[in-house]
Amino acid sequence: MKTITHHIPERLLAAYASGRLPHVFEVVVATHISMCDACRAGFEAHQAMGGVVLDDSDAVDLSDDLKADLMALLDHEMVEPAPAQRDGIFPGPVVEALKSRPPRWKSLGFGVKQSILEAGSEGSLRLLHIPPGQSVPDHGHNGLELTLVLQGSFHDETGAFGVGDLEVADDDLDHTPVAGDGLPCICLAATDAPLKFNSFVPRLLQPLFRI
């Protein structure tokens, strides 16, 4: 595997380690960690620091609200960064999100396909399949988007992304991702708000494609 050069930002790694990320983002972060030794080490360091803080903290009485929040966190099953066991190109967390079934691809046009793994009030999680040289329509963001490359590559205004690389996009970024040469680009993408397409036709089709 090529060297991974685009990693999880520290703030997201800390939020993941403390169980404070929405589930769709947890899956992407867990998948990246399963592919990236550097981010796995960072995640384990955050877990260790959390344990030290708890060990050094004095006992205090908890309010009813804080008890409820704590119980909610305990009930929340965080997606674990499974070791790099793979089913084809899909690491463990993606296989789990697929429920061990193949992706159900649906065409978005021009050879681009998607398979929606999850869609709800906290956001959406999907696989994207983009043929070599094909672009995704120019778009911005209403929130956060995490895109992790599982096969092939893509490039945009911010740089080039290969297998294991993670792009973090927010409402400051407008871009036109283009799949690289070679194998089709397959990405795992999570968003917490609809994209902002700059062209009329993608905006028209957006409700149908749920992106």
Side-chain angles (χ1 to χ4, degrees):
M1 184 184 294
K2 69 173 277 294
T3 301
I4 295 172
T5 57
H6 298 277
H7 300 277
I8 304 166
E10 194 66 24
R11 62 184 177 82
L12 291 181
L13 196 59
Y16 172 71
S18 62
R20 291 184 289 111
L21 278 184
H23 183 261
V24 294
F25 293 138
E26 279 190 343
V27 177
V28 179
V29 170
T31 304
H32 177 86
I33 289 173
S34 75
M35 303 170 74
C36 177
D37 291 340
C39 288
R40 175 177 285 275
F43 166 63
E44 291 173 350
H46 275 288
Q47 286 190 311
M49 284 190 294
V52 169
V53 169
L54 287 175
D55 287 343
D56 290 345
S57 297
D58 294 330
V60 294
D61 292 331
L62 300 180
S63 68
D64 290 340
D65 288 343
L66 188 55
K67 286 179 182 177
D69 291 342
L70 179 59
M71 294 307 296
L73 280 174
L74 292 174
D75 289 339
H76 172 73
E77 293 186 10
M78 187 175 77
V79 178
E80 293 293 338
Q85 83 178 65
R86 301 173 72 87
D87 179 4
I89 66 165
F90 300 128
V94 181
V95 174
E96 183 177 342
L98 284 164
K99 297 179 172 58
S100 299
R101 296 192 293 260
R104 299 178 63 181
W105 296 113
K106 293 190 176 181
S107 174
L108 299 179
F110 301 101
V112 179
K113 299 182 289 186
Q114 73 170 354
S115 177
I116 297 176
L117 307 183
E118 184 174 330
S121 59
E122 287 194 329
S124 66
L125 178 71
R126 70 194 68 229
L127 291 166
L128 294 170
H129 181 288
I130 310 168
Q134 180 63 49
S135 63
V136 174
D138 179 31
H139 64 274
H141 305 83
N142 288 299
L144 180 65
E145 180 181 41
L146 302 184
T147 305
L148 175 65
V149 181
L150 303 177
Q151 175 185 282
S153 65
F154 75 87
H155 59 273
D156 64 8
E157 290 80 351
T158 69
F161 298 81
V163 173
D165 284 332
L166 178 72
E167 181 173 53
V168 180
D170 57 23
D171 54 10
D172 291 329
L173 177 65
D174 275 49
H175 62 159
T176 307
V178 181
D181 296 331
L183 293 171
C185 180
I186 297 180
C187 296
L188 178 68
T191 56
D192 59 4
L195 303 181
K196 293 191 298 185
F197 288 104
N198 296 321
S199 299
F200 174 72
V201 172
R203 288 202 304 271
L204 184 66
L205 297 174
Q206 190 168 10
L208 177 64
F209 294 145
R210 300 163 63 191
I211 53 178

